[in-house]
Structure formats: structure tokens, C-alpha cells
Amino acid sequence: MSQKNFTAACCIIGDEILNGKTRDSNANYLAKYLFELGVELKRIETIPDDYEAIKETIKRLSSQHDLVFTSGGIGPTHDDITYSALAKAYNLSLKLDQETCQRMEQVSKQRFPDWKLTEERKRMALFPEPSEKLRNHNDIWVPVVVVNKNIHVLPGIPRLFEILLESLKPHFRALLGDHPEAYHRVQVATQLKEGDIAPFLTQLQNQCKERHIKIGSYPNWGEGKDGARVVVSVVGKNVAEVNAIGEELVKGIEGWITPTVDA
């Protein structure tokens, strides 16, 4: 029996991303994370710190995908409005979570003895209710708050975003089943020009489309270090089929298998 094909969406929240102050890395990290889990990331959207933008975007993404991940807007300042915007979107109340306050105080005072739980800091523990709080990392007080059963609210700080995502792997593996099918990728480089290999790639993609294998072509500006003008990527969940398509590509575009390198 084939498994359910889970889809996901990512919503990056923050004026600082849109005005160029900060370069986003969280969407890229999430894309790799979901690839390894076998979840297809279908959409990434970046929006401002704006109530209507958050409400409209996340409600739409939640209705269209199995999993939604947000990044940003959960700090103690006036422009951190993700929790309150989600509460408005789903007509939920905001409630102070005492366990989060306690954990925040305990962890923070270990590093800063004079630290105090101010009203501003309590804003970081005002969550839409009902919601689920995932606490899979003992050293971090910030929970991953889950709203509407599939919206996972994460901080925008990259290192914190990454640590919390990694802590949730057991949660997602349980959700996906005992034997989740991860994605597999093969890359084939060629010295031929993209225009020359386009007809062959089109024909090959049409042949394997029903097997849910995607072929993508990515040209270099000039030649790569190994002389490659184009790198062709083959992605799918059936390892044997992906490898077989890779071998067809090697022959069809006079290419060679090249390692996958993270950007």
C-alpha cells in the first residue's frame, strides 16, 4: 500500500526580510529538512508584519496543505504579532501559558541572574487557545505552538528555528508513519548547452511523469570547475527508478553523475 503524500507550505513573516535588512535562511533549511522526511514543500511565501497579511496567508496555506510552518513574529516587541494574528484568524482567545512562563524564567535566570519576567516578555507566552505546545528540547523554553492542528509556529532566529525543527523529527516521523519514504536525488552534469539537451529532457520527463519523478535543468554561468555547463537533477521517492533515470541521462546528454552539494 502506498503512503499518503504529505505536502507542506512555509510562511516567512517579517518586514526585515522584505526590506532587505535580513537574509532569510529558514526557508532553505526547512526545504532540506522536509526533503529528507519525504514531505513535498509546495510553497514558500514571505509576508510583512501585518495582521491581514498573516491571517489571509496562513488560513489559505492551512486549508491547502497538510503541514504549515511559520517563521518569525513571536518576540516581545510591538511588531511581533504572529500569535495574535492567528488568534484573530481562527476566532480564538489569547491565553497566558504558565508552563512557558515558568520555563522561560528558569532557563533565562540560569544565564542572566538579574533577569525578570516582565509584561513584555509575557507576550511571548500568549498563545491562541486551543493549541498544542510541542516541547521536545529541554534546554529551550520556546515551544512550537500548533494552531488549527497543522500550523507550526516557529521563531525567526535561524539557530533557534533549526534546533526546534530537529527536535521535532520524532513527532513528524510518527505522523508520517513507521516507514516514511524520503526523497532521493541524483544529479547529472554535462558539457552540452541547455538548448541542446532540452528536447531529450522533455521526452524523458514525459516518460517518467506518471512515476512522480521530477527532472530539473540548472545551467551554470559559463562552465563549472569540472567543465559542466548544465546540471540536471532527478528527484523522486523510488531510489531504483531515480537511479535508472540518472543512468539514462548520463547516456542521453553525454554526462556524468555529480555529487549533491548544499547551497
Side-chain angles (χ1 to χ4, degrees), residues 78-122:
H78 70 280
D79 54 345
D80 292 309
I81 61 173
T82 298
Y83 290 137
S84 55
L86 284 173
K88 288 187 176 183
Y90 291 99
N91 296 315
L92 304 175
S93 59
L94 283 172
K95 184 178 178 181
L96 187 66
D97 186 71
Q98 293 298 335
E99 182 176 354
T100 299
C101 287
Q102 291 169 5
R103 290 167 66 95
M104 187 194 315
E105 190 167 20
Q106 179 182 5
V107 171
S108 300
K109 283 191 172 182
Q110 288 176 352
R111 297 182 60 193
F112 310 102
D114 295 332
W115 188 94
K116 294 182 180 180
L117 184 62
T118 63
E119 292 302 313
E120 289 75 20
R121 286 168 175 153
K122 286 181 180 179

Side-chain angles (χ1 to χ4, degrees), residues 221-232:
W221 182 256
E223 292 185 359
K225 293 181 180 179
D226 54 0
R229 291 183 179 272
V230 182
V231 175
V232 179

Side-chain angles (χ1 to χ4, degrees), residues 51 65 74 86 102 114 123 129 148 168 198 204 244-245 258:
Y51 277 104
H65 304 284
I74 62 172
L86 284 173
Q102 291 169 5
D114 295 332
R123 292 186 74 240
E129 295 295 347
N148 199 41
L168 292 182
L204 191 60
I245 296 297
T258 184

Side-chain angles (χ1 to χ4, degrees), residues 210-223:
E210 296 300 320
R211 288 178 278 172
H212 303 290
I213 291 176
K214 292 184 178 181
I215 298 173
S217 175
Y218 308 98
N220 291 320
W221 182 256
E223 292 185 359

Side-chain angles (χ1 to χ4, degrees), residues 138-180:
N138 292 331
D139 296 330
I140 295 177
W141 62 263
V142 183
V144 176
V145 178
V146 184
V147 179
N148 199 41
K149 297 183 178 180
N150 71 344
I151 302 166
H152 297 72
V153 184
L154 288 137
I157 300 171
R159 186 58 184 147
L160 194 52
F161 180 92
E162 295 168 11
I163 291 173
L164 288 174
L165 264 186
E166 292 301 324
S167 76
L168 292 182
K169 271 189 177 176
H171 168 77
F172 289 122
R173 291 196 187 282
L175 180 66
L176 298 172
D178 294 332
H179 304 287

